[in-house]
Amino acid sequence: MLVLSRKIGEKIIIGNDIVITILSNNENNIKIGVDAPNNIPIYRYEVYEKIKNFIKEASKSSSDFPEISDIKSKINKYPKK
Amino acid sequence: METVKNKLGEIEYSDDNIITFEEKIPGFENLKKFVFVKLEREEEIFQMLYFLISIDEPNIFFPILPIKLIEENYPDYNGYEPFGIVKMSSQISKITINLKSPVYINFEKNTAIQKILDNTDYPIEYQLFVEE
């Protein structure tokens, strides 16, 4: 891992196209701005990891198919806000 | 007609059934081409479940479900159809669908893209069926 120290307002550039700016910090967290081309997705790391794990589990789970009768009525509709 | 074979059986498909991912799938970065099929099986759940089966590695496949069946107001992406990856279980209440990172499919171009809706409240695992 490359470790750099930056002051607020300072930036880091990754490759030719990705720029990270340290915006502000307070007691509990820091705000980071990321400029990148539209085709490069940017996610919070822990969300990405959780999704990766879910997809792996989903690919392993798919041989148990329970018998559910009248299935359309049993769908758990997403609650309206 | 070609076939893929895995524990779901031997599944026939034609070029029309092939969906190519525009970007990598988290955890399966090297898989891009998938067969998109519905299975003819007795259990009622197969009436609404679709499958994405990797052509390069047919043992890797995902059940998916059209998200509009659960949430009509789901975020749009360029008019593509949103599907959620389903984690199956023999216990009905434990079957979950991923609403956080949908697979959007464009059936005109036969392409797909998985998006992570990081700035929404949709859960990664949402219970798909109401308890009995």
Side-chain angles (χ1 to χ4, degrees):
Chain A
M1 184 184 284
L2 176 66
V3 178
L4 302 169
S5 282
R6 302 272 66 198
K7 296 191 172 67
I8 290 176
E10 291 185 331
K11 301 174 198 259
I12 297 171
I13 186 162
I14 300 175
N16 292 322
D17 303 310
I18 302 173
V19 178
I20 298 183
T21 308
I22 312 300
L23 294 171
S24 64
N25 73 349
N26 61 36
E27 230 173 81
N28 295 317
N29 55 43
I30 67 169
K31 208 177 253 186
I32 302 173
V34 185
D35 277 308
N38 280 341
N39 61 325
I40 296 188
I42 303 165
Y43 307 118
R44 290 176 178 78
Y45 189 81
E46 66 278 11
V47 174
Y48 182 86
E49 284 292 293
K50 276 194 192 160
I51 285 168
K52 219 165 123 169
N53 286 335
F54 174 88
I55 297 176
K56 287 206 162 138
E57 285 173 24
S59 71
K60 289 185 194 153
S61 75
S62 18
S63 57
D64 322 309
F65 297 104
E67 182 58 62
I68 308 174
S69 52
D70 201 22
I71 199 169
K72 287 213 164 114
S73 66
K74 296 204 174 124
I75 289 185
N76 186 17
K77 296 269 189 188
Y78 198 76
K80 295 201 201 288
K81 290 207 170 146
Chain B
M1 292 289 264
E2 312 253 359
T3 51
V4 273
K5 206 166 142 186
N6 57 28
K7 54 185 170 181
L8 293 175
E10 216 170 292
I11 295 147
E12 280 194 336
Y13 68 94
S14 64
D15 277 351
D16 293 333
N17 301 122
I18 299 177
I19 301 276
T20 305
F21 272 77
E22 296 167 27
E23 281 172 21
K24 301 177 182 183
I25 303 172
F28 295 100
E29 286 85 4
N30 56 329
L31 302 180
K32 285 221 157 172
K33 284 194 190 292
F34 286 77
V35 176
F36 173 85
V37 281
K38 216 171 184 185
L39 297 182
E40 303 289 325
R41 283 227 209 151
E42 265 182 45
E43 293 94 324
E44 262 192 63
I45 196 168
F46 288 96
Q47 288 169 22
M48 52 181 61
L49 219 55
Y50 293 82
F51 288 84
L52 283 173
I53 304 170
S54 164
I55 291 181
D56 296 317
E57 289 187 44
N59 288 320
I60 295 176
F61 58 90
F62 314 104
I64 59 175
L65 194 100
I67 294 182
K68 299 258 172 83
L69 291 176
I70 304 165
E71 160 69 318
E72 284 158 11
N73 299 320
Y74 199 72
D76 179 64
Y77 175 78
N78 293 350
Y80 288 32
E81 194 60 41
F83 285 81
I85 295 178
V86 175
K87 187 157 71 159
M88 289 305 303
S89 166
S90 47
Q91 273 181 267
I92 292 165
S93 59
K94 293 211 171 132
I95 299 174
T96 57
I97 184 169
N98 182 340
L99 296 181
K100 187 71 149 187
S101 68
V103 175
Y104 285 100
I105 301 183
N106 179 330
F107 288 107
E108 281 171 48
K109 296 191 295 178
N110 274 10
T111 61
I113 187 165
Q114 184 168 29
K115 287 283 186 197
I116 299 181
L117 306 181
D118 201 4
N119 287 328
T120 65
D121 289 332
Y122 290 111
I124 295 174
E125 292 202 54
Y126 178 77
Q127 185 175 325
L128 186 50
F129 296 109
V130 176
E131 316 230 19
E132 314 248 287

